[in-house]
Amino acid sequence: MRLMTDDIVQRIERFHFPRGTVFAERRNRGYTLYHAPSGAPVARLRPTARNDGVEILYWSARKERWAAAGPFGRTILPLDDALHFI
């Protein structure tokens, strides 16, 4: 059983994702989101210096690393907007 002591993890896990349940864990300087049924990585959120802002990354299977989610580079949004974006 995981301990949910982080407010951001709780906010992520309470969010209703249309494609299924997501669980999150704090790793290094950000949060990794996984599709709960499969365990596949969904996204990575890195907090920014701006209040409640996070950079959104996605897992690139081709590059085998996290990559910027935006078409022109970094995508930075407030947490709630980032969850809707994902």
Side-chain angles (χ1 to χ4, degrees):
M1 183 173 139
R2 292 181 301 117
L3 293 175
M4 289 191 353
T5 57
D6 191 308
D7 180 53
I8 293 177
V9 169
Q10 290 176 354
R11 286 175 63 188
I12 293 167
E13 291 184 347
R14 280 193 309 257
F15 186 82
H16 172 72
F17 289 91
R19 294 190 178 189
T21 306
V22 168
F23 72 90
E25 63 183 9
R26 178 105 164 106
R27 287 193 169 248
N28 297 328
R29 294 171 291 153
Y31 298 87
T32 304
L33 286 65
Y34 299 94
H35 183 248
S38 69
V42 173
R44 175 117 175 104
L45 301 176
R46 285 190 191 146
T48 63
R50 289 194 287 170
N51 194 17
D52 198 38
V54 292
E55 178 182 6
I56 305 167
L57 303 167
Y58 77 96
W59 180 253
S60 172
R62 189 181 58 140
K63 296 177 183 179
E64 295 186 4
R65 66 178 181 88
W66 294 105
F72 303 109
R74 297 173 64 187
T75 300
I76 298 173
L77 298 169
L79 179 59
D80 290 336
D81 292 341
L83 296 175
H84 284 284
F85 179 87
I86 293 169

